[in-house]
Amino acid sequence: MKIEGGCYCGQVRYVAEGAPMVQGQCHCRECQYITGGAPHMYMLMQPDGFRYTMGAPKQFSRSDLESPVTREFCPECGTHITTRRPGLRAIILKAGTLDDPSLFDGPQMAIFTIDTQPYHHIPEGLPAYERMPPSRR
Ligand SMILES: [Zn+2]
Ligand SMILES: [Zn+2]
C-alpha cells in the first residue's frame, strides 16, 4: 500500500508505504486544538516507509512537558500532518491529509477518551481507552 498526501496549500508532500499498523481516533485536548474540536483521525504508519517528497514541515513540541510529542505541520498553511511520540515506533499520520481520505476505513479504537466532549462521537462497540491503549508487542 502506497499512500500519498500533503498539506492544504500543497507545499509539503509525503509518501507513506506499507499497511497502516493501527487506525484510531484521539480525543485528547491537544488534538482538539488542531482538529477544530473533533477527535483526530490517525493512522500509525511504518517510520521506514514514510518520507517527505516535497517541502519540509516545521516541528513543534511543548517545552513544559517531560516527554512531549513532536508535531509536524506545514510552515506556510499550518496544516498538521504528523505526530511523533517518543518511544513509539510509528508515524502518527492525520487521515485528513491523505490525497484520498477514504483510504482511512474507520477507527479501530478511541484513545484519550478522558478528554471526550459531549459532541464527540464514538462508534458503538469501538474499543475505547481513557488514555493510551495497553502496549502491543
Ligand atoms: Zn501547506
Ligand atoms: Zn490526541
Side-chain angles (χ1 to χ4, degrees):
M1 190 172 181
K2 184 175 172 186
I3 294 170
E4 293 184 71
C7 67
Y8 180 51
C9 78
Q11 188 169 297
V12 177
R13 300 277 308 157
Y14 64 80
V15 169
E17 290 180 81
M21 297 147 74
V22 175
Q23 303 188 146
Q25 60 185 52
C26 181
H27 293 260
C28 84
R29 182 68 186 95
E30 289 71 23
C31 285
Q32 291 171 28
Y33 281 98
I34 287 161
T35 59
H40 157 200
M41 299 292 167
Y42 66 89
M43 305 162 88
L44 298 191
M45 302 301 295
Q46 299 282 354
D48 298 345
F50 182 86
R51 65 183 190 278
Y52 287 103
T53 52
M54 201 169 95
K58 195 167 167 21
Q59 294 189 323
F60 175 78
S61 44
R62 279 171 59 173
S63 57
D64 59 326
L65 300 176
E66 200 172 298
S67 185
V69 300
T70 299
R71 298 180 186 273
E72 297 185 330
F73 53 94
C74 172
E76 186 64 25
C77 71
T79 302
H80 182 228
I81 300 170
T82 68
T83 305
R84 295 171 195 259
R85 177 176 287 282
L88 181 69
R89 283 272 306 150
I91 301 286
I92 305 170
L93 184 63
K94 285 189 71 171
T97 65
L98 305 179
D99 287 347
D100 178 3
S102 71
L103 290 177
F104 181 88
D105 56 11
Q108 297 161 340
M109 63 174 70
I111 64 171
F112 286 96
T113 58
I114 193 159
D115 288 335
T116 299
Q117 300 298 333
Y119 44 84
H120 285 179
H121 175 66
I122 299 176
E124 184 105 24
L126 191 72
Y129 303 99
E130 272 201 355
R131 294 186 173 81
M132 294 282 277
S135 62
R136 301 145 59 99
R137 291 170 208 276

